[in-house]
């Protein structure tokens, strides 16, 4: 398997068409990390059986991830909006290819029904598609000024890093929002 990915156990292997989608490490600054602490076991809430482990990361790794993202921001912001949109479009396309596997993982991790997981997937993937297209329309706008005869202009551009803790029950949709 690729770096950072863990093969599923034999009993769970049939659950995914592409078992390498089950990632068991954190990617920070281009490096796959397992973490120094005991990993967190991920259990299927329906069967209560363990099917994966994920890193148990803390404040130091969070700060490292934020710093790595901040370091990458200038290069990202310097890319033309169209290129940023193409990258998001490619991410969307990869998501769509793996829709069923991602829905199955959501079922196993969260206990959603497959129908709910597919709906959540479609919602989250739709945000990628929307923002991929919207990136090419990153236009400015003219805003009425408080002083007669003047105009203010606002131009959209990447401005910073966001670190967020999201709900566990809709992982893709919350990430993309």
């Amino acid at each position: 398997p690729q770096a950072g990915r863990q093969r599923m156990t034999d009993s769970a292997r049939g659950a995914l068409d592409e078992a390498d989608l089950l990632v068991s490490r954190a990617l920070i600054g281009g490096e796959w990390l397992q973490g120094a602490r005991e990993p967190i076991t991920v259990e299927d809430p329906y069967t209560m059986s363990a099917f994966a482990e994920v890193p148990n990361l803390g404040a130091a790794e969070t700060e490292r991830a934020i710093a790595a993202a901040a370091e990458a921001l200038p290069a990202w912001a310097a890319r033309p909006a169209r290129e940023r949109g193409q990258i998001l479009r490619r991410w969307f396309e990869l998501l769509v290819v793996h829709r069923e596997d991602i829905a199955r993982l959501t079922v196993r991790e969260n206990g959603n029904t497959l129908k709910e997981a597919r709906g959540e997937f479609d919602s989250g993937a739709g945000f990628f598609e929307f923002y991929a297209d919207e990136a090419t329309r990153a236009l400015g706008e003219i805003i009425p000024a408080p002083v007669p005869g003047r105009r203010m202009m606002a131009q959209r551009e990447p401005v910073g890093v966001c670190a967020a803790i999201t709900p566990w029950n809709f992982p893709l949709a919350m990430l993309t929002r």
Side-chain angles (χ1 to χ4, degrees):
Q2 292 180 347
R5 298 189 177 188
Q6 169 183 314
R7 290 279 183 195
M8 297 179 78
T9 62
D10 288 340
S11 62
R13 190 178 307 269
L16 298 178
D17 294 330
E18 181 64 50
D20 285 344
L21 290 173
L22 183 61
V23 177
S24 63
R25 295 183 185 181
L27 182 62
I28 299 177
E31 181 184 351
W32 287 104
L33 302 175
Q34 188 60 47
R37 299 186 299 192
E38 193 68 28
I40 298 169
T41 300
V42 181
E43 294 177 346
D44 181 325
Y46 180 72
T47 64
M48 298 309 293
S49 62
F51 71 93
E53 289 184 340
V54 294
N56 184 0
L57 305 179
E61 294 89 357
T62 302
E63 289 175 17
R64 183 174 168 194
I66 293 168
E71 186 178 318
L73 180 66
W76 175 255
R79 292 175 184 261
R82 178 181 169 98
E83 188 177 330
R84 292 193 306 263
Q86 289 170 336
I87 291 167
L88 291 177
R89 167 64 61 179
R90 180 66 181 135
W91 197 349
F92 164 73
E93 291 167 355
L94 288 168
L95 285 171
V96 170
V97 166
H98 298 291
R99 177 183 189 255
E100 287 303 304
D101 277 345
I102 293 169
R104 286 186 206 118
L105 281 172
T106 302
V107 168
R108 295 207 62 204
E109 181 183 18
N110 296 330
N112 301 34
T113 65
L114 188 55
K115 181 179 178 181
E116 288 172 330
R118 287 175 177 150
E120 190 263 333
F121 175 91
D122 292 341
S123 174
F127 282 110
F128 269 105
E129 183 177 34
F130 174 82
Y131 287 115
D133 293 341
E134 196 63 20
T136 63
R137 292 185 289 277
L139 307 172
E141 60 183 304
I142 304 297
I143 303 169
V147 177
R150 299 239 173 133
R151 292 187 210 167
M152 298 188 316
M153 186 176 103
Q155 183 175 349
R156 292 179 178 89
E157 60 184 50
V159 295
V161 172
C162 173
I165 298 172
T166 61
W168 60 269
N169 53 338
F170 293 100
L172 183 61
M174 293 298 104
L175 169 71
T176 57
R177 284 186 183 179

